[in-house]
Amino acid sequence: MHFGGEHREAVEAAVEVIGQARPDLVIGSGDMTRDGVRSEFDAAQAWFARLPQPQLSTPGNHDTPFRGPGEIATRLITPWRRFERALGPADGALWSNPRAQVVALNTARSVQIRWNWSKGAVAAGQIRRAASTLAQAAPDKLKVVVCHHPLIEMIGGPMTAKVRGGTRAAQAFAEAGADLVLTGHIHAPFVHPYPFGDGCTQAVGAGTLSIRERGVPPSFNIIEADDCDIRITAMAFERTGFVVWRTWNLTRRRCA
């Protein structure tokens, strides 16, 4: 949503569409704010409060302060405090019900030893924890990972993620039986299979509800799953409301 730079009409219209969908879980895949300031997190918190429960979120690279000299100490010492006060744990959030297991991990970093701090990274410990949770879930459960940065580059996408440790993480999650890896960052919806394991783990990117469009209208995804099938529908905002932009129909590995 990039609150502080949100598309106001799209954000407002999304509340009604998401409410009507009656989802089992609302997922936020990062970049809730534009500059990581308190007022933007207040807006994000208020917006999520209007959506159905339960909810699970993970931070993006914009969700830690990075503008102005007064924010340097906050970024270095407590980079995710504002996110956690507004939206919950910054890393390792879990959700499950009898039909699904969802695990989140934080791929954003407050500081990195490279010029572009907006790029993602995954630590070995994060990979182990998430993969273990997936592997221990019942075989018939839908297994989902949520993070901000696409772990493998989207070919032909509008920007790159270049996640350190991303390929290793993608392979580990595929081998642990992940059905879906949900991400943001790119601002364009996409679906493509990981080239690991049995090829049934799908990378799924969400669009943005901000004015930071990259060739795609403001959008978000609705994901529906049953015992054998997964349907991913990208909903795009046009003029005054949301319409179906694209739909992907997938077969779960248990039925492949």
Side-chain angles (χ1 to χ4, degrees):
M1 287 70 64
H2 285 280
F3 277 101
E6 75 275 19
H7 190 296
R8 295 182 180 178
E9 292 83 1
V11 164
E12 186 62 30
V15 172
E16 181 177 0
V17 177
I18 295 170
Q20 291 175 347
R22 300 178 63 188
D24 294 287
L25 179 66
V26 173
I27 294 174
S29 55
D31 280 356
M32 313 306 185
T33 67
R34 182 183 61 186
D35 298 326
V37 300
R38 292 183 180 87
S39 60
E40 294 169 355
F41 276 115
D42 289 344
Q45 184 180 39
W47 185 75
F48 274 99
R50 299 171 62 194
L51 302 181
Q53 293 287 344
Q55 300 175 5
L56 178 147
S57 296
T58 192
N61 50 283
H62 279 265
D63 292 325
T64 188
F66 68 100
R67 291 188 182 273
E71 297 282 50
I72 293 176
T74 299
R75 183 184 185 99
L76 295 177
I77 299 171
T78 56
W80 310 114
R81 178 180 292 174
R82 294 174 186 173
F83 179 93
E84 291 185 327
R85 285 177 173 173
L87 298 167
D91 189 42
L94 300 172
W95 180 86
S96 66
N97 73 0
R99 296 183 293 121
Q101 175 66 63
V102 183
V103 56
L105 62 149
N106 185 2
T107 57
R109 297 293 184 265
S110 59
V111 179
Q112 299 186 63
I113 307 176
R114 56 174 162 174
W115 178 253
N116 191 339
W117 291 355
S118 73
K119 305 300 183 183
V122 188
Q126 290 179 298
I127 297 173
R128 286 193 299 270
R129 288 192 298 271
S132 176
T133 299
L134 296 174
Q136 292 176 30
D140 60 340
K141 281 193 173 187
L142 183 75
K143 300 181 182 183
V144 181
V145 178
V146 181
C147 55
H148 180 61
H149 298 82
L151 300 177
I152 297 178
E153 292 297 309
M154 173 190 172
I155 298 174
M159 64 181 295
T160 65
K162 294 183 178 179
V163 176
R164 288 180 171 170
T167 300
R168 184 171 68 250
Q171 184 169 1
F173 299 155
E175 292 173 353
D179 294 291
L180 306 174
V181 178
L182 310 183
T183 60
H185 193 60
I186 299 297
H187 291 201
F190 67 84
V191 176
H192 64 75
Y194 280 167
F196 305 115
D198 56 12
C200 291
T201 299
Q202 301 284 338
V204 180
T208 180
L209 293 177
S210 74
I211 59 174
R212 298 169 62 91
E213 299 173 23
R214 298 192 178 104
V216 179
S219 65
F220 67 93
N221 294 337
I222 295 177
I223 299 174
E224 302 165 276
D226 60 25
D227 287 344
C228 283
D229 300 308
I230 302 172
R231 173 176 290 182
I232 300 163
T233 304
M235 304 294 297
F237 184 79
E238 293 186 359
R239 298 180 182 175
T240 60
F242 279 92
V243 298
V244 174
W245 183 74
R246 185 172 176 182
T247 298
W248 293 266
N249 292 301
L250 311 173
T251 300
R252 290 180 59 177
R253 63 165 32 85
R254 59 182 297 182
C255 298

